[in-house]
């Protein structure tokens, strides 16, 4: 990622400011004019769900770091300031675009099943899924991948020293930060979940057991210790050193099955991205075990056959067509997708223009297809609700779209004693029993059954969009099963409806996942449209917010938009 020189044709332009108003969702705008050059201005942008983490990433860019450096620094900071999703004890996916080579790669640091895992591990004596064991016990923890994934990205692309990237998170943990309303409220409402273990209770509540309030200083000394170990020894501290030893001690004490060998054996993977095209744009997305990349391309291949621009944004007909495409994609997800290291998923067929065209022919403009009439397709012969997104563009044109997670809000709700690290519950993303919904209502099949060292299927969907070889959009979202449809709507809003990224982000969203046969819509979708959809035959249900995208759009300027659906998000640029 070599620095490329560029003479600016105009000075820095500030939309609101180089830091967008916290939680406003309005874009931060940075001058990106490049005449006829494929490079960028001497500015960069970081968009995350928590303003302190966005500013950490921005500061790293200002110090000469690149997009990968800023992503790693923001990621470690989110582990401190956004414990519902930011993590060290989870895993995720990272798309990295190298402007110099033009290459975009996928780094898979998704959690893995421990070696002692087996397909019936969550079934009780009657053969039913024990949801407590699958979701909120030490048995539900997958081998974490975040630290290893960050280290791999840094070794491959990083510019600044590793210690400089971890230091801001250490300061936030050791010196503390001022408790905001969102985190204070979540700690209060999740008290039962976070008090099931003394180690967790010690981290997130005061010595007298009371809850932190808005304006209190929140210090996490154990987490600071863990971060210092990682700063000094890198990923080895987590997988072979003192941090890992404490994690394994907690496993042994509380009946978990992750072993020292599981940690030592964990390796992230560099994978080939999945690619598609949509109305003259190139779509680059995460491959398996992300189901999102495959299905974003599949749904766009279907929608390309319909005049969405003419039908209009969020009209009943447009929502109907998109909902139909969602149903077919989620039906296919239930059968065909799993970890590609273990299962030969028919990705080429699912993402083919021909299959998209065949599905489009079965969709009527005026008639709803009942989910019971949609079955997973048959290929031809062989061929959270918490997660969080980091989007970064640096001054050289390098970019990262990174989604990582603990799965549920605060993961298992369990902290390994002495580490301050919340543990994931990603094992619930496997099919504990084929045909039985997981915590997000998603149906899974044999392709996603539990096997040792296998990665569970994920909905995390970091995406990049290119036009004529130039990066135009990067986005991603939290939201469990709703991640894929939230990202789809951002892409469609920008390409089909020519929206700027702030408008694309603010537009009310909807979601259908095949089963249950319900069209979920945000409260802001107008009632006339809902009535039309119900008259067509949809069972429409008003839901809470859908997703929380963190996006960057690149035209003559860099536009960063932090989704206002979650408090404290910020687009921070310079």
């Amino acid at each position: 990622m070599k620095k490329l020189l560029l003479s600016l044709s105009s000075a820095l332009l500030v939309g609101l400011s180089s830091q967008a108003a916290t939680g406003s969702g309005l874009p931060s705008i940075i001058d990106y004019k490049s005449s006829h050059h494929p490079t960028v201005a001497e500015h960069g942008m970081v968009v995350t769900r928590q303003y302190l983490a966005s500013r950490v990433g921005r500061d790293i860019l200002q110090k000469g770091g690149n997009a990968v450096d800023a992503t790693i620094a923001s990621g470690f900071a989110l582990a401190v300031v956004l414990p519902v999703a930011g993590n060290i004890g989870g895993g995720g996916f990272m798309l990295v675009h190298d402007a110099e080579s033009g290459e975009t790669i996928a780094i898979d640091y998704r959690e893995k099943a421990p070696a002692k895992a087996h397909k019936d591990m969550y079934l009780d004596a009657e053969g039913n899924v024990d949801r407590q064991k699958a979701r909120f016990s030490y048995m539900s923890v997958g081998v974490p991948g975040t630290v290893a994934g960050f280290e791999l990205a840094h070794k491959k692309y990083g510019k600044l020293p590793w210690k400089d990237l971890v230091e801001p998170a250490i300061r936030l943990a050791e010196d503390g930060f001022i408790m905001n309303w969102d985190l204070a409220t979540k700690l209060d409402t999740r008290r039962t979940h976070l008090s099931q273990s003394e180690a967790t209770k010690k981290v997130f509540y005061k010595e007298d057991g009371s809850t932190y309030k808005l304006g209190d200083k929140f210090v996490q000394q154990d987490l600071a210790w863990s971060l210092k170990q990682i700063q000094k020894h890198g990923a080895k501290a987590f997988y072979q050193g003192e941090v890992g030893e404490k994690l394994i001690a907690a496993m042994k004490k509380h009946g978990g099955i992750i072993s020292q060998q599981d940690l030592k054996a964990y390796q992230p993977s560099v994978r080939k991205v999945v690619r598609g095209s949509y109305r003259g744009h190139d779509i680059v997305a995460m491959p398996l075990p992300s189901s999102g990349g495959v299905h974003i391309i599949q749904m766009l291949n279907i929608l390309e056959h319909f005049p969405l621009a003419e039908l209009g944004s969020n009209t009943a007909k447009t929502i109907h067509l998109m909902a139909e495409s969602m149903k077919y994609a989620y039906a296919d997800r239930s059968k065909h997708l799993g970890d590609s290291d273990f299962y030969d998923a028919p990705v080429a067929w699912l993402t083919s223009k021909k299959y998209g065209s065949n599905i489009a022919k079965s969709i009527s403009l005026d008639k709803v297809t009942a989910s019971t009439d949609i079955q997973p397709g048959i290929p031809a012969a062989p061929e959270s609700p918490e997660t969080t997104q980091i989007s970064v563009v640096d001054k050289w044109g390098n970019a990262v779209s990174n989604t990582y997670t603990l799965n549920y809000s605060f993961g298992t709700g369990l902290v390994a004693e002495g580490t301050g690290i919340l543990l994931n519950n990603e094992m619930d993303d496997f099919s504990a029993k084929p045909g039985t919904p997981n915590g997000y209502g998603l149906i899974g099949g044999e392709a996603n059954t539990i096997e040792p060292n296998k990665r569970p299927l994920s909905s995390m969907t970091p995406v990049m969009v290119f036009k004529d070889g130039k990066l135009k959009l990067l986005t991603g979202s939290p939201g469990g099963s709703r991640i894929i449809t939230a990202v789809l709507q951002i892409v469609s809003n920008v390409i089909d409806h020519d929206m700027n990224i702030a408008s694309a982000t603010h537009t009310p969203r909807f979601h259908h996942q095949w089963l249950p046969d319900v069209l979920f819509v945000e409260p802001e979708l107008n009632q006339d449209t809902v009535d039309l959809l119900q008259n067509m035959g949809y069972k429409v249900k008003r839901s809470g917010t859908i997703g929380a995208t963190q996006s960057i759009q690149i035209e003559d300027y860099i536009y960063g938009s932090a989704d206002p659906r979650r408090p404290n998000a910020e687009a921070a640029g310079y």
Side-chain angles (χ1 to χ4, degrees):
M1 292 184 172
K2 187 172 70 176
K3 180 174 180 179
L4 299 174
L5 297 178
L6 172 71
S7 59
L8 297 182
S9 58
S10 63
L12 175 67
L13 171 68
V14 179
L16 293 176
S17 67
S18 63
Q19 301 166 23
T22 300
S24 70
L26 295 174
S28 178
I29 307 174
I30 300 297
D31 192 351
Y32 189 85
K33 288 189 175 179
S34 57
S35 300
H36 301 292
H37 300 286
T39 54
V40 282
E42 295 293 303
H43 305 291
M45 180 78 71
V46 179
V47 188
T48 81
R49 188 179 143 189
Q50 219 285 348
Y51 63 94
L52 292 173
S54 295
R55 294 173 189 180
V56 163
R58 177 204 60 199
D59 292 347
I60 291 295
L61 293 180
Q62 288 181 307
K63 290 175 182 177
N66 62 24
V68 167
D69 293 328
T71 299
I72 293 167
S74 293
F76 279 125
L78 284 167
V80 181
V81 300
L82 190 72
V84 295
N87 70 83
I88 293 173
F93 301 136
M94 184 186 297
L95 289 180
V96 181
H97 176 66
D98 184 337
E100 183 181 12
S101 68
E103 178 187 39
T104 305
I105 67 158
I107 297 177
D108 171 8
Y109 59 97
R110 179 76 161 147
E111 301 87 340
K112 284 187 174 183
K116 291 183 180 178
H118 58 88
K119 69 175 185 175
D120 298 328
M121 63 187 288
Y122 299 123
L123 302 185
D124 61 21
E126 286 73 42
N128 298 314
V129 177
D130 183 335
R131 303 194 185 283
Q132 175 66 26
K133 184 185 288 188
R135 299 175 187 174
F136 304 116
S137 75
Y138 283 85
M139 289 278 285
S140 61
V141 184
V143 181
T146 294
V147 180
F150 284 2
E151 184 175 84
L152 172 63
H154 182 257
K155 286 181 177 179
K156 189 171 179 65
Y157 291 112
K159 193 166 181 286
L160 295 184
W162 173 262
K163 64 181 180 63
D164 293 357
L165 309 184
V166 187
E167 182 64 26
I170 293 173
R171 297 275 63 82
L172 286 166
E174 190 167 54
D175 300 339
F177 63 95
I178 300 303
M179 181 68 64
N180 57 61
W181 174 87
D182 182 49
L183 182 53
T185 300
K186 280 185 168 60
L187 292 177
D188 187 42
T189 58
R190 299 299 179 96
R191 173 178 283 276
T192 300
H193 179 50
L194 297 174
S195 297
Q196 59 181 316
S197 86
E198 286 301 315
T200 310
K201 191 174 180 180
K202 175 187 172 184
V203 171
F204 292 109
Y205 301 96
K206 297 179 181 180
E207 288 187 20
D208 62 2
S210 61
T211 305
Y212 286 94
K213 303 295 184 185
L214 174 66
D216 287 345
K217 179 177 281 191
F218 183 43
V219 175
Q220 300 169 79
Q221 292 292 356
D222 286 347
L223 184 55
W225 174 83
S226 294
L227 287 163
K228 287 178 180 179
Q229 296 298 309
I230 292 166
Q231 182 187 47
K232 184 176 181 180
H233 302 292
K236 188 174 182 180
F238 189 92
Y239 296 94
Q240 299 180 49
E242 293 186 48
V243 178
E245 289 172 3
K246 289 181 182 291
L247 192 154
I248 297 306
M251 287 287 150
K252 291 178 178 178
K253 181 178 179 180
H254 300 288
I257 60 172
I258 294 178
S259 68
Q260 186 66 59
Q261 183 57 35
D262 288 324
L263 289 181
K264 187 176 181 179
Y266 182 87
Q267 293 292 329
S269 296
V270 175
R271 301 189 185 276
K272 186 178 179 180
V273 297
V274 291
R275 295 179 179 271
S277 63
Y278 185 64
R279 306 194 200 279
H281 294 75
D282 296 314
I283 311 299
V284 177
M286 193 73 200
L288 291 171
S290 164
S291 62
V294 171
H295 290 316
I296 284 287
I297 293 170
Q298 178 185 3
M299 289 186 288
L300 291 173
N301 285 342
I302 298 168
L303 294 172
E304 200 164 36
H305 294 272
F306 300 99
L308 299 191
E310 295 175 23
L311 295 174
S313 169
N314 271 10
T315 61
K317 285 188 181 295
T318 293
I319 291 173
H320 161 64
L321 292 170
M322 295 184 76
E324 292 286 281
S325 74
M326 293 171 187
K327 286 190 279 188
Y328 279 95
Y330 278 83
D332 282 332
R333 186 188 192 278
S334 72
K335 180 176 181 178
H336 294 305
L337 297 188
D339 185 348
S340 57
D341 290 341
F342 285 73
Y343 177 75
D344 188 16
V347 171
W349 166 70
L350 287 167
T351 59
S352 68
K353 293 290 187 183
K354 182 178 180 180
Y355 184 50
S357 176
N358 289 340
I359 294 174
K361 290 173 183 175
S362 68
I363 296 175
S364 166
L365 268 172
D366 304 303
K367 183 180 178 182
V368 177
T369 307
S371 290
T372 51
D373 293 333
I374 296 175
Q375 297 300 318
I378 301 174
E383 4 183 80
S384 335
E386 290 292 349
T387 297
T388 198
Q389 169 72 18
I390 305 169
S391 295
V392 183
V393 171
D394 67 26
K395 63 185 178 182
W396 299 292
N398 307 308
V400 172
S401 179
N402 181 89
T403 315
Y404 74 156
T405 187
L406 289 167
N407 200 23
Y408 289 5
S409 181
F410 298 100
T412 54
L414 300 170
V415 166
E417 288 94 334
T419 67
I421 297 173
L422 277 163
L423 301 175
N424 70 80
N425 55 358
E426 291 295 351
M427 293 295 288
D428 185 57
D429 275 0
F430 283 113
S431 297
K433 181 180 181 181
T436 299
N438 72 359
Y440 297 106
L442 289 171
I443 304 294
E446 293 294 335
N448 193 39
T449 54
I450 302 170
E451 297 181 58
N453 303 310
K454 186 178 183 180
R455 290 178 165 96
L457 195 61
S458 172
S459 295
M460 292 185 288
T461 312
V463 165
M464 294 183 181
V465 177
F466 296 80
K467 175 77 170 177
D468 300 325
K470 296 181 180 180
L471 181 63
K472 291 294 183 181
L473 174 69
L474 52 154
T475 190
S477 180
S481 61
R482 302 179 180 198
I483 291 172
I484 304 170
T485 55
V487 171
L488 174 71
Q489 288 165 81
I490 289 288
V491 173
S492 178
N493 286 342
V494 171
I495 296 177
D496 288 311
H497 306 297
D498 198 27
M499 294 184 188
N500 66 49
I501 195 59
S503 296
T505 301
H506 280 253
T507 299
R509 295 181 186 143
F510 50 92
H511 170 78
H512 204 304
Q513 62 181 53
W514 179 51
L515 295 175
D517 195 353
V518 175
L519 177 62
F520 297 93
V521 301
E522 289 188 326
E524 294 77 15
L525 189 67
N526 73 73
Q527 188 59 46
D528 287 346
T529 302
V530 170
D531 291 342
L532 288 170
L533 290 164
Q534 289 175 326
N535 290 336
M536 290 177 71
Y538 281 102
K539 181 179 178 182
V540 182
K541 183 176 180 180
R542 298 276 185 183
S543 73
T545 56
I546 294 174
T549 56
Q550 312 299 335
S551 309
I552 297 175
Q553 182 183 22
I554 305 167
E555 298 295 339
D556 287 338
Y557 303 92
I558 304 175
Y559 299 83
S561 183
D563 201 322
R565 287 169 176 82
R566 305 284 174 91
N568 304 307
E570 181 174 274
Y574 76 99

